[in-house]
Amino acid sequence: MEAIIRYYNQYDESSRLTTDYSRRLEFITTTHVLDQHISIDDEILDLGAGTGIYSFYYAEKGNPVVSTDITPRHVQMIKAKADELGMNHVRTKVIDARDLSRFKSGRFDVVLCLGPIYHLTDLGDQERCIRECIRVLKPGGILAVAYVNKFFILPHLIQKDRKYLEEPWVSKILNDGRIFSHEVPGFWTDAYFHSPSEIEQLLTQRNIGKIANVATDGVSQYLRDMVNALSEEEFKQWVAYHLRTCSEPSILGMSNHGLFVGRKVD
């Protein structure tokens, strides 16, 4: 996890979901789906919160939120903003999502795991993270897990350099499902990629009933220049189209990011 912490200590995470239309679509889609299942009284645990964009979105609605991240710098930023806004219903902690032992079982109505799963390159660590998320959820509680789609990654890499269009890289992404930061200079950081069916299997076999599995970017990353050049009114129409199609399986397999939402079965 040291490489991931180093990366986010120098990365401007606060602007990742707000810089342009194609990136904003991930936030718009995620909140559109979650808003249908989160009520104002629900207590939310936000794991891998980054600089707190989802924490503050729900805190502004009145939800009590425990906002956490493994990067101390991020947690400091969240706390400073919460203090500035007088949001004493936002609490912060530096936490590794694989160990939630400081929280009692069945405490939270909602657990947002919108960052950790695609940075846990070890399958055992992924299982520990999901097991802990489920443990701290109330029966009937909502679990949301964001993932990076493995079918998006090779086309993304090829656009940067066609040297990745070789069998070893194809097999590595499709079969191994992970890339480490030292393997692709300038790529990102250590990351694991799931297919939509793999993320569903990971969660549904652990007593989480599927509510939705959606393409939070849809095809927008392939059309990034076009989407970012849209007028405000045109973008509203694009969002409307996207929200009507983001659950379509053929589009789900093309999206950069996906979101699985499920309910803990009693």
Side-chain angles (χ1 to χ4, degrees):
M1 299 301 292
E2 290 79 7
I4 294 166
I5 295 171
R6 285 197 302 272
Y7 175 83
Y8 282 107
N9 269 328
Q10 53 81 37
Y11 178 69
D12 181 16
E13 174 66 16
S14 61
S15 64
R16 185 178 73 84
L17 296 174
T18 60
T19 52
D20 54 41
Y21 282 156
S22 62
R23 289 181 178 271
R24 283 170 54 189
L25 197 60
E26 180 185 348
F27 176 80
I28 292 168
T29 310
T30 299
T31 53
H32 171 79
V33 174
L34 292 177
D35 285 353
Q36 300 173 52
H37 306 286
I38 297 177
S39 67
I40 194 171
D41 296 324
D42 287 342
E43 184 177 16
I44 299 171
L45 174 63
D46 191 358
L47 298 170
T51 54
I53 187 169
Y54 293 105
S55 293
F56 287 110
Y57 175 82
Y58 284 105
E60 287 172 359
K61 290 176 174 286
N63 290 93
V65 178
V66 179
S67 188
T68 76
D69 200 272
I70 198 171
T71 306
R73 172 174 167 266
H74 286 170
V75 176
Q76 292 166 3
M77 293 171 71
I78 296 169
K79 185 178 186 308
K81 183 174 179 178
D83 289 345
E84 179 184 350
L85 296 173
M87 288 185 168
N88 55 17
H89 57 300
V90 175
R91 285 158 290 167
T92 59
K93 294 184 183 297
V94 176
I95 282 184
D96 184 326
R98 297 170 293 182
D99 179 11
L100 307 180
S101 56
R102 67 186 66 195
F103 302 122
K104 68 179 183 179
S105 298
R107 170 174 170 179
F108 295 98
D109 301 286
V110 178
V111 174
L112 305 181
C113 185
L114 303 181
I117 206 68
Y118 49 74
H119 286 313
L120 295 174
T121 55
D122 180 81
L123 294 178
D125 285 340
Q126 292 179 21
E127 291 174 0
R128 278 186 283 275
C129 175
I130 296 302
R131 188 166 57 244
E132 281 288 85
C133 288
I134 295 170
R135 181 186 64 80
V136 301
L137 259 182
K138 293 178 180 178
I142 296 296
L143 174 61
V145 178
Y147 62 99
V148 174
N149 183 1
K150 68 165 53 175
F151 301 135
F152 173 86
I153 295 302
L154 190 67
H156 173 71
L157 289 175
I158 292 169
Q159 289 182 58
K160 296 179 178 297
D161 193 328
R162 288 200 296 274
K163 74 179 182 181
Y164 297 111
L165 192 57
E166 297 177 352
E167 172 53 30
W169 278 102
V170 173
S171 295
K172 178 177 180 58
I173 292 170
L174 293 182
N175 300 331
D176 189 39
R178 75 199 82 198
I179 290 178
F180 295 94
S181 55
H182 66 273
E183 296 175 318
V184 183
F187 167 64
W188 189 19
T189 184
D190 299 352
Y192 190 97
F193 316 113
H194 293 86
S195 70
S197 61
E198 286 170 346
I199 202 74
E200 289 196 15
Q201 181 179 7
L202 176 66
L203 291 152
T204 56
Q205 70 184 7
R206 287 167 176 79
N207 225 29
I208 295 293
K210 176 185 172 182
I211 294 174
N213 192 0
V214 302
T216 47
D217 307 290
V219 299
S220 292
Q221 289 299 318
Y222 297 101
L223 304 171
R224 187 170 181 174
D225 290 343
M226 182 276 288
V227 171
N228 290 334
L230 295 175
S231 69
E232 185 175 347
E233 184 58 36
E234 289 170 335
F235 181 62
K236 288 180 181 178
Q237 292 302 318
W238 180 254
V239 170
Y241 162 78
H242 166 75
L243 293 178
R244 292 173 63 180
T245 59
C246 63
S247 295
E248 163 60 39
S250 61
I251 291 178
L252 184 60
M254 299 172 68
S255 184
N256 182 358
H257 297 88
L259 175 71
F260 180 95
V261 181
R263 188 180 302 277
K264 182 177 179 179
V265 179
D266 294 359

